CSV table of all heavy atoms in Angstrom, one decimal:
chain,number,residue,atom,x,y,z
G,563,THR,N,30.4,4.0,-20.7
G,563,THR,CA,29.9,2.6,-20.7
G,563,THR,C,30.7,1.8,-19.6
G,563,THR,O,31.8,2.1,-19.3
G,563,THR,CB,30.2,2.0,-22.1
G,563,THR,OG1,29.7,0.6,-22.0
G,563,THR,CG2,31.7,1.9,-22.4
G,567,LYS,N,26.5,2.6,-14.2
G,567,LYS,CA,25.3,3.4,-14.2
G,567,LYS,C,24.1,2.6,-13.9
G,567,LYS,O,23.3,2.9,-13.0
G,567,LYS,CB,25.1,4.2,-15.5
G,567,LYS,CG,26.3,5.1,-15.9
G,567,LYS,CD,25.9,5.8,-17.2
G,567,LYS,CE,25.7,4.8,-18.4
G,567,LYS,NZ,26.9,3.9,-18.7
G,585,SER,N,18.0,4.3,-20.3
G,585,SER,CA,17.8,4.8,-21.6
G,585,SER,C,18.6,4.1,-22.6
G,585,SER,O,18.3,4.1,-23.8
G,585,SER,CB,18.1,6.3,-21.6
G,585,SER,OG,19.5,6.5,-21.3
G,586,GLY,N,19.7,3.5,-22.2
G,586,GLY,CA,20.5,2.7,-23.1
G,586,GLY,C,19.7,1.6,-23.7
G,586,GLY,O,19.8,1.3,-24.9
G,589,TYR,N,17.8,2.8,-26.7
G,589,TYR,CA,18.7,2.9,-27.9
G,589,TYR,C,19.0,1.5,-28.4
G,589,TYR,O,19.0,1.2,-29.6
G,589,TYR,CB,20.0,3.7,-27.6
G,589,TYR,CG,19.7,5.2,-27.6
G,589,TYR,CD1,19.5,5.8,-26.4
G,589,TYR,CD2,19.7,5.9,-28.8
G,589,TYR,CE1,19.2,7.1,-26.3
G,589,TYR,CE2,19.4,7.3,-28.7
G,589,TYR,CZ,19.2,7.9,-27.5
G,589,TYR,OH,18.9,9.2,-27.5
G,590,ARG,N,19.2,0.6,-27.5
G,590,ARG,CA,19.5,-0.8,-27.9
G,590,ARG,C,18.2,-1.4,-28.6
G,590,ARG,O,18.4,-2.2,-29.6
G,590,ARG,CB,19.8,-1.7,-26.7
G,590,ARG,CG,21.2,-1.4,-26.2
G,590,ARG,CD,21.4,-2.1,-24.8
G,590,ARG,NE,22.8,-1.8,-24.3
G,590,ARG,CZ,23.8,-2.7,-24.4
G,590,ARG,NH1,23.6,-3.9,-25.0
G,590,ARG,NH2,25.0,-2.4,-24.0
G,646,SER,N,25.3,2.2,-30.2
G,646,SER,CA,26.3,3.3,-30.0
G,646,SER,C,26.4,4.1,-31.3
G,646,SER,O,26.6,5.3,-31.3
G,646,SER,CB,27.6,2.7,-29.6
G,646,SER,OG,28.7,3.6,-29.8
G,649,SER,N,22.9,5.9,-32.3
G,649,SER,CA,22.5,7.0,-31.3
G,649,SER,C,23.2,8.3,-31.7
G,649,SER,O,22.9,9.3,-31.1
G,649,SER,CB,22.9,6.6,-29.9
G,649,SER,OG,24.3,6.4,-29.8
G,655,ARG,N,17.8,10.4,-32.1
G,655,ARG,CA,17.7,10.8,-30.7
G,655,ARG,C,16.3,11.5,-30.5
G,655,ARG,O,15.7,11.3,-29.5
G,655,ARG,CB,18.8,11.8,-30.4
G,655,ARG,CG,20.2,11.1,-30.5
G,655,ARG,CD,21.3,11.9,-29.8
G,655,ARG,NE,21.2,11.7,-28.4
G,655,ARG,CZ,21.7,10.6,-27.7
G,655,ARG,NH1,22.3,9.7,-28.4
G,655,ARG,NH2,21.6,10.5,-26.4
G,675,GLY,N,22.0,7.1,-18.4
G,675,GLY,CA,22.3,7.1,-19.8
G,675,GLY,C,23.5,8.0,-20.0
G,675,GLY,O,24.5,8.0,-19.3
G,676,ARG,N,23.4,8.8,-21.1
G,676,ARG,CA,24.5,9.7,-21.5
G,676,ARG,C,24.2,11.1,-21.4
G,676,ARG,O,25.0,12.0,-21.1
G,676,ARG,CB,25.0,9.4,-23.0
G,676,ARG,CG,25.4,8.0,-23.2
G,676,ARG,CD,26.7,7.6,-22.5
G,676,ARG,NE,27.2,6.3,-22.9
G,676,ARG,CZ,26.7,5.2,-22.5
G,676,ARG,NH1,25.7,5.1,-21.7
G,676,ARG,NH2,27.2,4.0,-23.0
G,677,ASP,N,22.9,11.4,-21.7
G,677,ASP,CA,22.4,12.8,-21.7
G,677,ASP,C,21.2,13.0,-20.9
G,677,ASP,O,20.4,13.9,-21.2
G,677,ASP,CB,22.1,13.2,-23.2
G,677,ASP,CG,21.0,12.2,-23.8
G,677,ASP,OD1,20.7,11.2,-23.1
G,677,ASP,OD2,20.4,12.6,-24.8
G,678,MET,N,21.0,12.2,-19.9
G,678,MET,CA,19.8,12.4,-19.0
G,678,MET,C,19.8,13.7,-18.3
G,678,MET,O,18.8,14.4,-18.3
G,678,MET,CB,19.8,11.2,-17.9
G,678,MET,CG,19.7,9.8,-18.5
G,678,MET,SD,18.1,9.6,-19.4
G,678,MET,CE,18.6,9.8,-21.0
G,703,ARG,N,33.1,-5.1,-17.3
G,703,ARG,CA,32.3,-5.6,-18.4
G,703,ARG,C,32.7,-7.1,-18.7
G,703,ARG,O,31.8,-7.9,-18.9
G,703,ARG,CB,32.5,-4.7,-19.6
G,703,ARG,CG,31.6,-5.1,-20.8
G,703,ARG,CD,30.1,-4.9,-20.5
G,703,ARG,NE,29.6,-3.5,-20.8
G,703,ARG,CZ,28.7,-2.9,-20.0
G,703,ARG,NH1,28.3,-3.4,-18.9
G,703,ARG,NH2,28.3,-1.7,-20.4
G,726,ARG,N,33.7,3.6,-28.1
G,726,ARG,CA,32.4,4.1,-27.8
G,726,ARG,C,32.4,5.4,-27.0
G,726,ARG,O,31.7,6.3,-27.3
G,726,ARG,CB,31.6,3.1,-26.9
G,726,ARG,CG,31.0,2.0,-27.7
G,726,ARG,CD,30.0,1.3,-26.8
G,726,ARG,NE,30.0,-0.1,-27.1
G,726,ARG,CZ,29.1,-0.9,-26.6
G,726,ARG,NH1,28.2,-0.5,-25.7
G,726,ARG,NH2,29.1,-2.2,-26.9
G,730,ASP,N,30.7,8.7,-28.2
G,730,ASP,CA,29.7,9.4,-27.4
G,730,ASP,C,30.1,10.8,-27.0
G,730,ASP,O,29.2,11.7,-26.9
G,730,ASP,CB,29.5,8.6,-26.1
G,730,ASP,CG,28.6,7.3,-26.3
G,730,ASP,OD1,28.0,7.2,-27.3
G,730,ASP,OD2,28.7,6.5,-25.4
G,733,ARG,N,30.1,13.2,-30.6
G,733,ARG,CA,29.0,13.4,-31.6
G,733,ARG,C,28.4,14.8,-31.4
G,733,ARG,O,28.6,15.5,-30.4
G,733,ARG,CB,27.9,12.3,-31.4
G,733,ARG,CG,27.2,12.5,-30.1
G,733,ARG,CD,26.2,11.3,-29.9
G,733,ARG,NE,25.7,11.4,-28.5
G,733,ARG,CZ,25.6,10.3,-27.7
G,733,ARG,NH1,25.8,9.1,-28.2
G,733,ARG,NH2,25.1,10.4,-26.5
V,987,CDP,N1,21.0,8.3,-23.0
V,987,CDP,C1,21.7,7.5,-23.8
V,987,CDP,C2,21.9,6.1,-23.5
V,987,CDP,C3,22.6,5.3,-24.4
V,987,CDP,N2,23.1,5.9,-25.5
V,987,CDP,C4,23.9,5.1,-26.5
V,987,CDP,O1,23.3,3.8,-26.5
V,987,CDP,C5,24.4,2.8,-26.3
V,987,CDP,C6,23.8,1.7,-25.5
V,987,CDP,O2,23.6,2.2,-24.2
V,987,CDP,P1,23.9,1.3,-22.8
V,987,CDP,O3,23.9,2.3,-21.7
V,987,CDP,O4,23.0,0.2,-22.7
V,987,CDP,O5,25.3,0.7,-23.2
V,987,CDP,P2,26.7,0.6,-22.7
V,987,CDP,O6,27.5,1.3,-23.6
V,987,CDP,O7,26.7,1.1,-21.3
V,987,CDP,O8,26.9,-0.9,-22.7
V,987,CDP,C7,25.5,3.5,-25.7
V,987,CDP,O9,26.8,3.0,-26.1
V,987,CDP,C8,25.4,5.0,-26.1
V,987,CDP,O10,26.1,5.2,-27.3
V,987,CDP,C9,23.0,7.2,-25.8
V,987,CDP,O11,23.5,7.7,-26.7
V,987,CDP,N3,22.3,8.0,-24.9
Side-chain angles (χ1 to χ4, degrees):
T563 185
K567 303 180 300 296
S585 62
Y589 285 94
R590 285 169 180 263
S646 163
S649 65
R655 300 197 75 81
R676 302 293 188 283
D677 59 346
M678 296 296 99
R703 187 63 90 218
R726 277 197 215 189
D730 285 343
R733 68 183 169 224

